[in-house]
């Protein structure tokens, strides 16, 4: 159609853009694309029209056309005169013009659908319409239906969604209340991004349900339940009702014949008036015989204490309001329904408690999803193409995680303590600059520098020798992924203290920093605009990116597609809380370019972890739950191996960062250290003390020095020890006098440092032989010192080359670090127990018994449980 074909009153002289007509084949088998665009001069023109439902108004005119060639080539032909470089042109839509039956359509039926809807056609193929109206017209033509305004989605179910619906429908039918006399219950253990909302509606269609009640512990998911029902073409004729509907509408829909979905929160439905009766607006819920009641985000009700961790600590009152006292059962609700469908991405407690028989559970895990993505061989585009893989990078920022605390809870590392902040300005608003400060700002400042690969202060000492390490804001790939990130902090105070520290930083001040915490920011989905607006401002102002600081908000039920990384800066203990937060950054983020090419903006998302033992324990626990719901015969190790294929874990330890295998992660999760790391620990300089005090003590025992000097490793020990002591005194004097060393003194100090290293390495050789001695000796319940000195002395001398007398004196002089050796021995014996069995077949890890450490013995309960905060040496009795 050309302009000449239009009625005269449809042409407005002066606003017509050149339209180069395309001669396209008319065969329905010829591939076509349908596109829509606008441009400067048209996109800001206001319009309005009258419809039976009232006045519809909008801004901007939209060109709708089809082509058999690349879309941008066609658009360039049309606009070559007015817009030579297409500057000011905005392509709004570009997709395949293909019907459900596989044939292709042109733009004429789309134009007719728009015209039939009362949309004014203007100057050729331009329409005064909203983009949603254009999308709805395309959807109607694609499915051969009448135009359904507002219904712009027509995507099909993915294979796993189709399977979930089929399995669930089969179970519900076979175990119907009419056959068993009781309501039927089914659980979907489906990870975030499975599409539980859309799949639930498809199940309702499959089952022929007319009345569905959705109850949720998290009202933030409201928009997803509403949009999937009201925008997708499959649910035309269904009605969505929530607490905002007026009583008259509620009653009319409840009494009508059309299918109805009622959305409500538990706290509202379970709430009562002062007289203890049901709220008036909810009374109708108790009058309806529901086909199905859906309990969304069920992990909150199944494990209330873990759900509370998703709230800001200062918002206990909000937690009391939003969380029921206990897990709600069907009997507690007092509602009538034939079926109950439970939905959760992390229903760990429900699974471990055996709430549902295996045949009443459908599981779709992260591993399932990524395996489907890797193995997909269907037609393009793949439904999994834009689902990111995940990687975890674990950085050890405390030596308390490198060794075990010697007493239960003593000096146990905690991120919540590491980032503890307090209010320093009484009476100031929480969001006032400087209202909060970290209790140890130097420590946190060093941490912030570490994220950029700049090691200073204590962090530099702790991570000495680190090489080939990828740091989040230094490595190019990681930095790009962290362009928009979320930092999960312990509490509101830490969020605002971190905001101020980053705002004053010469690099991080280039990011848009947004705090979503405390009473000054909204809750649930209402908090999302704070982040999306910050991202828009960062793009507009060309900032480095955004950093969202939270202590719970936005960590469940809300999706920010641009988030590519999460920094775990608080010590969560429950796997439900951890993975609800971690999977926030695994949301898809993609767009379509001309030619229908899918551009994935986030192929990989990242978890940056700074308490490795605790995190790996939670990951191992996740694998354990997956094994419990997976194929029969799968062990935790095999399940974990599959998980690590799609969620590789890199750990910084011993100066290098390397990927962990399944056994290594499980060892770390269970015992606090892996076999490889434990082997390195037995050559750790921290196991021995070579300083002026131990060297002076050695020089006070010339017989011991002479005896040691006879061995190759300790040649000239007396001279070395003397020089170490002398050089230390020289260095102390210079510091006391606040002066620099002269050249001779510097040479003396440098030589002493080399000698100290040589002596330390000689002692480390002894420590490296200790595991061999422990492995070959038969006495495991006695302390190592007792075994060496009184029980198996000859074996010790043969293995290490030291006499018992020499060892006893070295030990008394403090050369050996008992606490570090306690930790290393405990972990060695716990790992060893995996391959040791007593004669009666009982595993050594099962029996409660004495276990010998360096100079003491302890009572041991057996193998530490997966998920412990840290595998620690138990306290002495």
């Amino acid at each position: 159609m050309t302009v000449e074909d239009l009625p005269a009153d449809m042409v407005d002289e002066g606003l017509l853009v050149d339209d180069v007509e395309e001669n396209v084949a008319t065969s329905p088998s010829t591939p076509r694309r349908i596109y829509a665009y606008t441009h400067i001069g048209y996109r800001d023109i206001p319009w309005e029209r009258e419809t039976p439902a009232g006045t519809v108004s909008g801004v901007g005119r939209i060109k709708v056309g089809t082509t058999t060639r690349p879309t941008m080539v066609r658009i360039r032909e049309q606009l070559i005169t007015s817009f030579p470089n297409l500057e000011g042109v905005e392509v709004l839509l570009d997709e395949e013009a293909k019907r459900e039956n596989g044939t292709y359509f042109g733009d004429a039926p789309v134009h007719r659908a728009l015209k039939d809807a009362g949309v004014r056609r203007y100057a050729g193929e331009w329409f005064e319409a909203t983009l949603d109206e254009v999308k709805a017209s395309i959807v109607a033509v694609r499915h051969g239906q009448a135009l359904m305004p507002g219904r712009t989605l027509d995507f099909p179910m993915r294979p796993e969604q189709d399977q979930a619906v089929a399995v669930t429908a089969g179970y519900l039918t076979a175990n119907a209340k009419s056959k068993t006399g009781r309501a039927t219950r089914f659980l979907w253990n489906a990870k975030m991004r499975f599409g539980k909302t859309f799949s639930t509606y498809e199940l309702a269609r499959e089952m022929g349900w007319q009345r569905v009640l959705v109850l949720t512990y998290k009202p933030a998911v409201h928009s997803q339940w509403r949009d999937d029902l009201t925008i997708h073409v499959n649910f035309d004729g269904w009605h969505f009702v929530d607490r905002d509907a007026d009583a008259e509408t509620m009653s009319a829909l409840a009494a009508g014949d059309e299918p109805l979905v009622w959305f409500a929160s538990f706290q509202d439905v379970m709430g009562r008036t002062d007289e203890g009766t049901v709220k008036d607006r909810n009374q109708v819920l108790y009058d309806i015989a529901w086909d199905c009641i859906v309990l969304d985000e069920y992990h909150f009700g199944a494990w209330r204490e873990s759900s509370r961790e998703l709230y800001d600590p200062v918002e206990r009152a909000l937690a009391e309001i939003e969380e029921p006292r206990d897990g709600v059962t069907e009997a507690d609700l007092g509602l009538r329904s034939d079926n109950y469908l439970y939905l959760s991405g992390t229903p760990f407690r429900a699974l471990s408690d055996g709430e549902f028989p295996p045949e009443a559970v459908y599981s779709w895990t992260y591993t399932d999803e990524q395996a489907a993505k890797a193995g997909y061989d269907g037609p393009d585009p793949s439904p999994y193409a834009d689902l990111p893989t995940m990687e975890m990078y674990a950085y050890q920022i405390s030596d308390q995680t490198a060794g075990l605390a010697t007493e239960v809870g003593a000096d146990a590392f905690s991120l919540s303590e590491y980032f503890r902040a307090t209010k320093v300005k009484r009476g100031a608003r929480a969001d006032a600059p400087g209202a909060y400060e970290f209790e140890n700002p130097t420590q946190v400042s060093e941490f912030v520098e570490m994220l950029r690969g700049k090691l200073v202060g204590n962090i530099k000492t702790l991570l000495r020798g680190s090489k080939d390490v990828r740091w989040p804001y230094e490595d190019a790939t990681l930095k790009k992924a962290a362009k928009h990130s979320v930092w999960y902090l312990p509490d509101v105070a830490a969020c605002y203290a971190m905001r101020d520290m980053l705002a004053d930083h010469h690099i991080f001040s280039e990011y848009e920093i947004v705090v979503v915490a405390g009473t000054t920011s909204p809750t649930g989905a209402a908090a999302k605009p704070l982040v999306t607006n910050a991202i828009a401002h960062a793009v507009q102002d060309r900032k480095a990116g955004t950093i969202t600081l939270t202590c719970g908000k936005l960590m469940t039920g809300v999706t920010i597609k641009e988030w590519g990384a999460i920094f775990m800066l608080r010590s969560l203990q429950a796997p439900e809380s951890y993975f609800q937060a971690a999977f926030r950054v695994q949301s898809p983020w993609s767009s379509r370019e001309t030619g229908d090419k899918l551009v994935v903006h986030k192929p990989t998302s990242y978890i940056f972890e700074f308490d490795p033992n605790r995190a790996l324990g939670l990951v191992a626990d996740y694998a354990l739950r997956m094994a419990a719901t997976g194929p029969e015969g799968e062990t935790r190790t095999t399940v974990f191996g599959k998980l690590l294929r799609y969620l590789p874990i890199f750990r910084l330890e011993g100066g290098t960062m390397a990927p962990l295998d399944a056994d290594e992660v499980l060892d770390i999760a269970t015992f606090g250290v892996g076999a490889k790391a434990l082997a390195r620990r037995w050559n750790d300089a921290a196991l021995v003390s070579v300083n002026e005090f131990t060297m002076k003590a050695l020089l006070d025992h010339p017989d011991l020095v002479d005896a040691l000097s006879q061995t190759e490793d300790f040649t000239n020990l007396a001279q070395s020890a003397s020089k170490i002591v002398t050089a230390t005194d020289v260095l102390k004097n210079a510091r006391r006098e606040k002066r620099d060393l002269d050249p001779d003194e510097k040479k003396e100090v440098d030589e002493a440092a080399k000698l100290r290293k040589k002596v330390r390495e000689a002692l480390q050789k002894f420590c490296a032989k200790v595991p061999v001695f422990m492995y070959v000796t038969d006495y495991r319940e006695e302390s190592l010192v007792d075994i060496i000195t009184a029980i198996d002395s000859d074996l010790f001398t043969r293995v290490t080359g030291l006499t018992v007398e020499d060892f006893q004196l070295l030990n008394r002089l403090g050369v050996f670090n008992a606490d570090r050796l306690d930790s290393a021995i405990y972990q060695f014996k716990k790992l060893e127990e995996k391959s040791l069995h007593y004669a009666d077949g009982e595993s050594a890890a099962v029996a409660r018994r004495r276990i010998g450490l360096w100079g003491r013995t302890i009572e041991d309960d057996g193998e530490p449980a997966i998920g412990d905060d840290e595998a620690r040496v138990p306290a002495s009795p």
Side-chain angles (χ1 to χ4, degrees), residues 340-400:
Y340 289 86
L341 178 65
Y342 296 79
L343 309 177
S344 177
T346 52
F348 299 150
R349 177 59 64 92
L351 293 173
S352 62
D353 286 353
E355 280 191 43
F356 300 86
E359 61 271 19
V361 178
Y362 178 81
S363 293
W364 183 257
T365 66
Y366 169 76
T367 303
D368 294 327
E369 172 197 274
Q370 293 298 315
K373 176 181 178 180
Y376 181 78
D377 60 357
D380 288 333
S382 166
Y384 310 103
D386 60 353
L387 290 171
T389 56
M390 298 185 76
E391 293 183 5
M392 175 186 285
Y393 283 77
Y395 303 84
Q396 198 162 277
I397 61 173
S398 170
D399 56 3
Q400 289 299 328

Side-chain angles (χ1 to χ4, degrees), residues 216-387:
T216 182
Y217 290 96
K218 295 299 295 179
V221 300
H222 170 271
S223 60
Q224 188 66 53
W225 283 100
R226 180 198 61 212
D227 293 350
D228 278 1
L229 191 76
T230 58
I231 297 178
H232 200 286
V233 295
N234 286 5
F235 312 117
D236 184 37
W238 285 69
H239 296 278
F240 184 85
V241 175
D242 56 26
R243 62 176 296 171
D244 294 330
D246 61 81
E248 185 177 344
T249 300
M250 288 181 178
S251 297
L253 290 174
D257 296 328
E258 295 181 322
L260 170 68
V261 172
W262 199 305
F263 178 91
S265 65
F266 272 102
Q267 55 269 33
D268 184 32
V269 172
M270 297 296 290
R272 294 294 184 266
T273 64
D274 293 339
E275 291 74 30
T277 59
V278 175
K279 297 175 183 177
D280 289 342
R281 69 166 176 269
N282 292 332
Q283 185 59 57
V284 67
L285 299 179
Y286 293 84
D287 298 333
I288 296 175
W290 298 99
D291 293 314
C292 183
I293 294 179
V294 180
L295 291 87
D296 192 23
E297 303 288 345
Y298 180 59
H299 51 276
F300 282 94
W303 195 352
R304 184 170 181 264
E305 289 308 311
S306 69
S307 71
R308 284 173 170 275
E309 292 190 14
L310 296 177
Y311 289 89
D312 297 355
V314 298
E315 294 181 346
R316 294 301 181 195
L318 178 62
E320 291 291 344
I321 293 172
E322 293 203 5
E323 298 303 332
R325 289 269 170 210
D326 297 292
V328 176
T329 66
E330 295 92 282
D332 296 326
L333 293 172
L335 298 165
R336 293 180 293 155
S337 179
D338 290 344
N339 302 283
Y340 289 86
L341 178 65
Y342 296 79
L343 309 177
S344 177
T346 52
F348 299 150
R349 177 59 64 92
L351 293 173
S352 62
D353 286 353
E355 280 191 43
F356 300 86
E359 61 271 19
V361 178
Y362 178 81
S363 293
W364 183 257
T365 66
Y366 169 76
T367 303
D368 294 327
E369 172 197 274
Q370 293 298 315
K373 176 181 178 180
Y376 181 78
D377 60 357
D380 288 333
S382 166
Y384 310 103
D386 60 353
L387 290 171

Side-chain angles (χ1 to χ4, degrees), residues 507-520:
I507 297 297
F508 287 102
S509 59
E510 297 176 3
Y511 288 78
E512 186 85 11
I513 312 295
V514 56
V515 176
V516 186
T519 56
T520 57

Side-chain angles (χ1 to χ4, degrees), residues 1-2 6 10 19 21 32-37 62-67 74 78 105-129 133-141 147:
M1 178 178 290
T2 64
L6 295 172
M10 293 290 287
D19 186 5
E21 194 63 28
R32 300 192 191 198
R33 301 194 65 77
I34 188 162
Y35 59 87
Y37 66 80
I62 298 176
K63 163 68 181 264
V64 180
T66 53
T67 180
R74 178 67 180 135
Q78 296 170 357
F105 58 87
D107 52 23
V110 178
H111 296 167
R112 282 196 297 272
L114 287 168
K115 180 181 177 182
D116 292 344
V119 173
R120 181 178 180 234
R121 185 170 182 169
Y122 180 85
E125 298 180 335
W126 289 84
F127 295 85
E128 292 183 339
E133 287 175 326
V134 174
K135 289 180 178 178
S137 299
I138 295 170
V139 166
V141 172
L147 177 63

Side-chain angles (χ1 to χ4, degrees), residues 788-847:
I788 292 170
T789 58
I791 301 176
D792 221 344
S793 303
D794 291 341
L795 177 63
F796 172 76
T797 300
R798 290 197 303 272
V799 171
T800 66
L802 283 179
T803 67
V804 172
E805 292 75 17
D806 293 343
F807 166 76
Q808 287 177 308
L809 188 49
L810 285 171
N811 193 40
R812 286 202 303 272
L813 296 179
V815 170
F816 302 116
N817 187 327
D819 286 346
R820 291 280 185 166
L821 285 162
D822 271 352
S823 169
I825 292 169
Y826 179 79
Q827 291 174 326
F828 174 89
K829 291 187 175 181
K830 297 306 292 182
L831 281 172
E832 183 189 37
E833 284 171 353
K834 292 202 301 182
S835 60
L836 288 179
H837 295 271
Y838 289 118
D840 61 2
E842 181 186 25
S843 170
V846 174

Side-chain angles (χ1 to χ4, degrees), residues 5 181 737:
D5 297 320
E737 296 168 5

